[in-house]
Amino acid sequence: MNRNDRRILIVTIITGVLILLGIFLLGETPSNPPVKGDDEKGGRYVPLAATNSRQTETFYFDPNTADSTQLLRLGLSPWQVRNIYRYRAKGGVYQKKEDFARLYGLTVKDYRRLEPYIRISEDYLPASTLVGNYSRTSISSRTSGPSIPRRSSRDSLRYPVKIREGEHIVLNVADTTMLRKVPGIGAYYAKEIARYGRWLGGYVNVDQLDEIDNFPKEAKKYFVINNPNPQKLNINKLTLQQLRRHPYINYYQAKAITDYRRLHGDIKSLQDLRFSPDFTERDIQRLTPYIEY
């Protein structure tokens, strides 16, 4: 090689070495700083990126039985989950939704987000709710012997007379007093049935009771639906936030609806959404009775 070729070769080799050295020194990304985990003594560490990238979800849960995976999915911090476990280990019980609001570090915004999804099992309610208040008749000075226990009027409301096999309650018009006459339905499930009915905008099918957590399936045979007239959602006028308030529409489905309106105009039928990956045929079928155009 002549002199110029040798110079070019040397420059090329030096440039290649510098590039490889730069890749070696600068190509390594620093590891994520650790975040202290569940061990009080600093045992387990979770990468910070992992905690920041976790997607917050909302679903029904019982704070007395939910495991750490479910609590983290709800958006709670690892140290808040640890506090819940400590509280339960010491015999603490969440007897009502408001008890969960006392969780250290829980903000008002997070509690309002989680409160509609809290479900306290009847197993964790105070045992005193099972005991009626009894009043005893006064003992006359002339009367001897033990007094006779008498159930007060309040007890008759606590323990309503149940309907018999073959009798039915009209689900879409019954109030909590009527609902409690169904075998297997107490005060808790009567309130849950009424609450979920309001959230839906009215029942159109008895099988919708299965969407209530741990609903006693044997009680469904006592319900019927007569002339359903649910509240309608105007799918072409409601905002994303208004749409997602319905239990059959999640955030991604509400966004798909608003995106379709923006790109294609008004929706003429829910079948217009059948090509959206966020809607299955079952989603469209159960939502149809609640939609107007």
Side-chain angles (χ1 to χ4, degrees), residues 219-237:
K220 287 171 52 180
K221 63 184 179 181
Y222 295 98
F223 292 102
V224 294
I225 298 288
N226 284 347
N227 301 319
N229 186 27
Q231 296 179 4
K232 303 286 188 176
L233 304 174
N234 192 316
I235 199 172
N236 289 313
K237 293 184 179 180

Side-chain angles (χ1 to χ4, degrees), residues 68-106:
S68 58
T69 302
Q70 293 173 319
L71 295 171
L72 289 172
R73 286 169 55 201
L74 290 166
L76 297 178
S77 301
W79 58 270
Q80 289 177 312
V81 175
R82 186 171 64 248
N83 287 340
I84 293 174
Y85 269 70
R86 287 177 177 173
Y87 176 75
R88 297 191 319 207
K90 293 179 180 178
V93 174
Y94 298 96
Q95 297 181 351
K96 55 184 183 297
K97 293 183 178 182
E98 291 77 10
D99 292 344
F100 190 72
R102 298 191 180 97
L103 176 63
Y104 182 76
L106 188 68

Side-chain angles (χ1 to χ4, degrees), residues 94-166:
Y94 298 96
Q95 297 181 351
K96 55 184 183 297
K97 293 183 178 182
E98 291 77 10
D99 292 344
F100 190 72
R102 298 191 180 97
L103 176 63
Y104 182 76
L106 188 68
T107 64
V108 173
K109 178 181 178 181
D110 285 338
Y111 176 72
R112 288 176 176 171
R113 175 176 61 85
L114 297 174
E115 188 270 339
Y117 299 91
I118 298 175
R119 296 289 182 274
I120 306 296
S121 172
E122 287 186 321
D123 294 337
Y124 294 95
L125 296 177
S128 58
T129 59
L130 300 176
V131 182
N133 296 321
Y134 293 91
S135 61
R136 294 181 176 273
T137 57
S138 59
I139 302 176
S140 170
S141 59
R142 304 177 185 176
T143 306
S144 61
S147 60
I148 301 174
R150 181 182 61 187
R151 180 170 294 184
S152 66
S153 59
R154 182 179 178 181
D155 295 327
S156 64
L157 295 176
R158 185 181 296 274
Y159 301 104
V161 177
K162 301 294 186 178
I163 61 176
R164 301 176 181 177
E165 188 84 19

